[in-house]
Amino acid sequence: MDNNTHDVIIIGGGPAGLTAAIYTSREMFNALLLEKGICGGLPASTDLIENYPGFSEGLNGMELMSEFKKQAQRFGTQISELDKVEKIDISEGKIRVQTTKESYLTYVLMVASGSIPKKLGVPGEEKFKGRGVSYCATCDGPLYRDKDVAVIGCGNSGLQEGEALLKYVKSVTFVEFLPFMNAEKILQERLQKNSKASFLLNHKLNSINGEDTVRSITVQDRQTGKEKEINVSGVFVYVGFLPNSKFLEGIVGLDSLGYIKTDDDMKTKTDGIYAVGDVRCKKVRQIDVACGEATISAVSVRDCLKEIKR
Amino acid sequence: MLQTNLEHIETEEQLKELIENNEKVAVCCGRMGPMCTPVFAIMQKLKSKYPHVQSRDMDFDIPAASFIRDLPECAHFIGLPFTVYFKNGRVVKATSSIQSEKQITDILDEVFKD
């Protein structure tokens, strides 16, 4: 086997990809993990993770993912960061993975490429990106010290990141399109008790306003139709995610939103290609679910590789 | 500490020397976070396509980064990374937050066209 041919290539260095790396490396397969940025995935930008079992007080997302990475490397996974996949070619028998750095060959491909934050698509969002509109409270939160900000979206991500922002900012206005919040009850209760947090449920964000930077947002009550302007310096967007699967169009089966369809062993319709984690078509997207899927797929990959190598 | 394959700028003297001695310079000042690392990766990828542009990165949290943070062109920036393009020692473009490869390529083509 030459240097660029691997038993298994894993795309994505989040919880699913790193778990797949741990399990396949422990089977002594020659595993390469490709990550377009740095390993960690979405959890790495989460300030405090409280629902991952085994850590009674919770822990910082970057710390957790750093341990995942160390564990994968300890068992021999080769990790290539800042290495973005551009094209997959299945016409040569093996699977060719073309990245920004190299061209690799593999017998098995495990796709754990995750998802990317969805944009709002409202006036002002693009104009004020980096000037008041942010998608990462952990990264940009300290730049908003003592300012009023809004968090759009009251799912787990919105409330977790809003809670992280409260360490720095003067106030957070949470805006949710639905008449209820989808986040875990414990998060909802904790934030509802915080005097610096306020909630606008059943409200639609119509625009983000300002001149050089964000000055306000305009929201609309979906029940009464009444609009109001709220003065904020920052808008943090957490309105869901889109699958990072464009490079697999025409190669594996995708649903209407672009999530990868698999069977119970995480196999796609294409031989040798598996999908795990948030990029996979499913209902629940959590770190432990991603890890479980990666474990299941790794067992299936082991059997598949044994068959190939026989 | 940045973990990229770009050359890092660690002191203000290094940065000043770079922009004084090179016609075309791009500096991405950020952290190893989800908004910054895609920009580092794109700049790294584009190095071979734009060999005449000196591309560097810089840790946002080191004292020398105040040179970038305090530029008038970055006065309204509140999203990492801050990416600044210098031509003949002067700022010709600056962006805040994550940028796509097309956005960066468009800027390089526009500000460094001759």
Side-chain angles (χ1 to χ4, degrees), chain A residues 36-38 45 62 82 86 100-101 126 129-132 135-136 138-140 142-144 147 212-213 233, chain B residues 3-5 31-35 37 40-41 44-45 60 76-80 94 96-99 101 103:
Chain A
K36 68 179 189 312
I38 55 158
S45 58
M62 187 62 100
L82 297 165
E86 298 198 313
T100 46
K101 280 187 187 171
E126 204 51 41
K129 191 177 79 178
R131 294 165 186 261
Y135 303 86
C136 181
T138 308
C139 312
D140 297 336
L143 303 174
Y144 291 84
K147 293 184 172 167
D212 293 322
T213 57
S233 303
Chain B
Q3 297 147 331
T4 75
N5 289 334
R31 298 180 180 134
M32 293 306 287
M35 299 292 119
T37 51
F40 295 143
Q44 190 176 305
K45 180 188 171 189
F60 193 81
H76 299 301
F77 288 0
I78 27 180
L80 299 186
S96 176
S97 193
I98 191 169
Q99 304 287 312
E101 184 174 338
Q103 285 172 313

Side-chain angles (χ1 to χ4, degrees), chain B residues 34-89:
Chain B
M35 299 292 119
C36 302
T37 51
V39 182
F40 295 143
I42 293 164
M43 286 179 69
Q44 190 176 305
K45 180 188 171 189
L46 293 176
K47 268 177 79 173
S48 56
K49 194 177 167 192
Y50 295 88
H52 53 297
V53 178
Q54 298 296 315
S55 297
R56 302 284 190 279
D57 61 28
M58 192 174 192
D59 190 327
F60 193 81
D61 300 303
I62 61 172
S66 61
F67 183 93
I68 297 286
R69 289 201 299 259
D70 297 342
L71 287 169
E73 291 82 357
C74 300
H76 299 301
F77 288 0
I78 27 180
L80 299 186
F82 293 4
T83 309
V84 183
Y85 302 82
F86 299 89
K87 190 173 179 187
N88 295 320

